[in-house]
Amino acid sequence: MKIGYTLMCEQRGPKSLVEDAVLAEQAGFDFAVISDHYSPWLAEQGHSPYAWSVLGAAAAKTERIDLMTYVTCPTFRYHPAIVAQKAATVALLSDNRFRLGLGAGERLNEQVVGAPWPAVDIRHDMLREAVEIIRGLWDGDFVNYRGEHFDVESAKLYDLPERPIPLGIAVSGKQSCELAGEHADVGVAVEPDAEIVRQFADFGGAGKPMVGQSPCCYGTDEKAAIALSHQQFRWFGGGWKVNAELPGPSAFDAASQFVREADMAEQIPHGPDPQAYIETVRRWAEAGFAELAFVQIGPDQAQFCEWFSSTLRPRLQELSLAD
């Protein structure tokens, strides 16, 4: 199983994120994913730089580690033709180390452009059109497209990588699995749900990798790690169906007001003992995932990378849970 690292834009500034990408590569992570938000989930997180600028700098500063958006919404803040262009540019800058992860979006980020927030089935229809446009532009020809949601007029990308860019699509239910199974090279999910993996395979994703993501909070003080997890990440327990609909950090704060530190302790591996992290990796592997990216909560990214390199990664390799 490949183990990845998350460049979490909601909790780090742009220069720190680039430094974190270098640390992750040095620590031996197989890949790095980056969130693409306009706002943090909670005001306490305090950051949200532009992910694509960070990706360009990270591509220039690293040599080996793969990069991936986790995930970009190509239908509201961005027109899909622009997403196709910037993905191709990052693929070139990174010497083909980039994968484009796409999703149907969250109201938290997409409402900033003032567009109405439609129902999820409409958002999936928009995502399908966006994928068709992106794929068409990556083929290198002129594209004219007349869709229900998007138009493209005589567009052509003049800088394309020699190898096709792998495309991932976030899945959470039957409708998204059908879309991803037909169009994606990679499935993306935020829960270790074997049923989602099965649906993705049944709709055409069989043999294609699934990439997951799990928060954690490494630290030598277990109680401090739980307190930090609660402060920064109490929002995540609502699940995608809820989180996609909330309009801003204040809404996430209200929705998570009854989440306790004890709840966080049950859900997130934390503290210095590697066993909880190993069990997390095992759970995702048993659900059918080929890759898992950890999200280290909080500012101690260098400490986490050093611990991963010296302690967690060797243990996972001993158990054949990591490459």
Side-chain angles (χ1 to χ4, degrees):
M1 189 174 192
K2 292 184 178 181
I3 304 299
Y5 173 88
T6 301
L7 299 165
M8 202 69 177
C9 288
E10 296 70 46
Q11 64 179 12
R12 304 282 278 170
K15 289 186 176 181
S16 295
L17 288 165
V18 176
E19 294 169 359
D20 294 342
V22 174
L23 290 172
E25 180 172 76
Q26 294 171 346
F29 284 97
D30 297 299
F31 65 101
V33 303
I34 188 167
S35 57
D36 184 1
H37 277 211
Y38 196 88
S39 300
W41 286 281
L42 296 169
E44 292 95 326
Q45 292 177 305
H47 294 279
S48 201
Y50 184 51
W52 290 89
S53 296
V54 174
L55 275 170
K61 289 284 189 177
T62 57
E63 297 178 355
R64 174 196 59 81
I65 195 167
D66 290 336
L67 303 169
M68 181 180 184
T69 50
Y70 202 102
V71 290
T72 284
C73 175
T75 53
F76 290 93
R77 280 180 296 154
Y78 312 134
H79 190 284
I82 304 306
V83 174
Q85 182 189 37
K86 57 190 178 183
T89 299
V90 173
L92 288 167
L93 288 171
S94 64
D95 294 324
N96 296 297
R97 290 183 285 126
F98 178 69
R99 295 180 293 180
L100 177 64
L102 299 176
E106 295 172 297
R107 186 179 176 188
L108 168 70
N109 304 299
E110 310 310 326
Q111 69 173 0
V112 296
V113 297
W117 187 240
V120 66
D121 59 327
I122 297 174
R123 302 202 304 269
H124 281 131
D125 287 342
M126 296 173 71
L127 181 57
R128 183 181 295 274
E129 287 192 11
V131 170
E132 291 172 355
I133 291 167
I134 291 167
R135 291 283 199 193
L137 286 165
W138 284 353
D139 285 340
D141 297 325
F142 281 96
V143 171
N144 290 283
Y145 190 94
R146 301 289 180 268
E148 182 178 351
H149 304 286
F150 298 106
D151 292 336
V152 177
E153 187 70 40
S154 300
K156 177 182 172 65
L157 296 181
Y158 287 87
D159 289 284
L160 284 167
E162 293 182 2
R163 296 207 303 265
I165 302 168
L167 191 148
I169 294 178
V171 295
S172 60
K174 180 179 178 181
Q175 191 175 41
S176 56
C177 283
E178 184 175 3
L179 173 62
E182 180 181 356
H183 290 285
D185 305 301
V186 180
V188 177
V190 294
E191 296 180 9
D193 188 338
E195 176 60 20
I196 290 294
V197 176
R198 185 194 65 77
Q199 288 188 24
F200 175 58
D202 288 347
F203 283 115
K208 300 175 182 178
M210 285 286 296
V211 183
Q213 186 183 57
S214 177
C216 66
C217 193
Y218 168 75
T220 56
D221 185 328
E222 186 172 345
K223 289 185 178 179
I226 283 300
L228 180 60
S229 297
H230 182 263
Q231 180 199 53
Q232 298 272 319
F233 241 75
R234 63 187 183 274
W235 59 270
F236 94 106
W240 182 83
K241 291 182 184 298
V242 172
N243 292 345
E245 305 299 331
L246 296 177
S250 60
F252 278 88
D253 184 43
S256 60
Q257 63 181 309
F258 298 113
V259 177
R260 306 165 300 165
E261 288 189 8
D263 300 321
M264 303 299 295
E266 292 177 357
Q267 298 182 65
I268 292 178
H270 57 278
D273 185 354
Q275 192 57 40
Y277 303 81
I278 291 169
E279 291 305 316
T280 296
V281 174
R282 192 190 306 277
R283 186 165 62 252
W284 284 86
E286 290 175 349
F289 286 75
E291 305 179 32
L292 177 65
F294 277 113
V295 181
Q296 166 65 4
I297 299 169
D300 294 329
Q301 301 298 315
Q303 187 181 32
F304 173 65
C305 287
E306 191 283 327
W307 175 77
F308 173 80
S309 178
S310 65
T311 303
L312 182 57
R313 187 167 183 259
R315 289 285 302 277
L316 291 170
Q317 289 175 324
E318 290 173 7
L319 297 169
S320 300
L321 289 173
D323 286 345

